[in-house]
Each structure stands twice: as structure tokens, then as C-alpha cells.
Amino acid sequence: MAQLFYDAIHWPTYVWQRPKPGDQIEIYRLGYQHWAIYVGDGYVVHLTSTDGSTGNFFSGSLPADTTKAVVKKEKLSYVAGITGWKVNNGKDRKYKVRPVSEILSIANQCVGMEIDYDVLKMNCEHFAAILRYGQPDSEQAEVVSVLSRIPDMFRS
């Protein structure tokens, strides 16, 4: 029943955004964005916690102290929950995009894998970028890294 609710909430976004297999999906969260790769038929592949929570709005996504993550294939509408999302292939200007068949093959091969997670070195945005471009890239991690060094700038 919950899935029908989420599908109904996100139906206008599907129509407006028209995600295509291989697209990066940016999902809005409170204070950060969760990232996934659209694999078709309403599904995404993304990183989530190993404790079985889905990484949707209600369960929260991976806490900063998480060290392991699992790759899951789930309905985009369920992962987004009540929050919004958009197709965001903005890094296409920076990196060469892998062929869609390669993105989908690698994404599907990763489903079920447990991987090391690090908010600054391997988070969900890094993972989605690796699938699409073959390169880890996270603008969020760069911002966090810069902000974490600000106190050091004021030490004598």
C-alpha cells in the first residue's frame, strides 16, 4: 500500500523528468542529497545501510559513522519517499559517460554487494559517479572536507 502512495506522489515528477536508464538521480534529503542510478522501469541502484533500512526519508540514509554499505535495487519512488528528486547528469561536462549498457551491467552486478563506506571517500554520490563515469566524484564530500578544515585556518 505504501508503494502505491509513493508512486502516486512521484508520478508527476516521472512525467516531467522522464528519467532514462543510466541517468544519475539526485534525491533530496534534509541537509544533503542521496544519489542513485536509474536502471529503468521505475527502479534505481543505490547505496544504503547494511542494517536493512532502505535509505528513504523515514529511515534516513547512511549516517556519517557508517563504515559498510550495501548496494540495492529498489523503486525510485520508495527510495525518495515523500521527498523530491531530479535527474542530475551535471558531471557529464566533466567526465565521459560510459555506454548505457555498461552502466546498467555494472549497476546490476553490484546489487547485493557490501562495500566500504566513507562519507568523504566513498558515499552514495561517489558510487553513482563510478557507475556512470568510472570515476568517484562527490561535490558534497568536497564541501564537507573544506568546511571541516575551517577551524584549522584560525589556529595560530
Side-chain angles (χ1 to χ4, degrees):
M1 186 67 156
Q3 186 60 56
L4 291 175
F5 174 73
Y6 295 140
D7 286 345
I9 288 173
H10 294 286
W11 181 82
T13 309
Y14 279 109
V15 171
W16 179 58
Q17 290 281 317
R18 293 193 177 121
K20 296 179 291 305
D23 281 343
Q24 281 193 306
I25 305 296
E26 181 179 9
I27 302 165
Y28 307 117
R29 295 286 192 254
L30 188 58
Y32 70 101
Q33 286 76 39
H34 184 62
W35 291 78
I37 292 290
Y38 187 75
V39 293
D41 297 324
Y43 284 87
V44 293
V45 169
H46 69 117
L47 283 183
T48 189
S49 67
T50 57
D51 68 5
S53 62
T54 63
N56 71 22
F57 181 79
F58 298 109
S59 66
S61 244
L62 300 157
D65 63 350
T66 297
T67 59
K68 291 287 183 185
V70 66
V71 180
K72 288 191 177 180
K73 180 178 179 178
E74 298 182 295
K75 288 284 255 179
L76 170 55
S77 58
Y78 183 70
V79 176
I82 61 170
T83 64
W85 60 270
K86 70 178 181 178
V87 171
N88 184 344
N89 295 323
K91 294 178 184 109
D92 286 6
R93 294 180 295 277
K94 188 175 181 181
Y95 301 110
K96 182 179 182 208
V97 179
R98 288 180 169 176
V100 172
S101 61
E102 188 176 330
I103 296 169
L104 299 181
S105 175
I106 294 168
N108 285 312
Q109 288 174 32
C110 288
V111 173
M113 290 176 68
E114 188 173 290
I115 65 170
D116 291 333
Y117 179 87
D118 183 300
V119 73
L120 295 178
K121 296 177 185 163
M122 178 49 79
N123 63 37
C124 59
E125 187 178 1
H126 288 110
F127 179 71
I130 288 169
L131 292 177
R132 185 166 173 87
Y133 310 106
Q135 299 289 326
D137 190 315
S138 173
E139 293 172 8
Q140 294 179 106
E142 290 172 20
V143 169
V144 170
S145 180
V146 167
L147 291 176
S148 70
R149 291 191 303 260
I150 288 175
D152 294 336
M153 294 177 198
F154 296 103
R155 291 190 186 138
S156 34

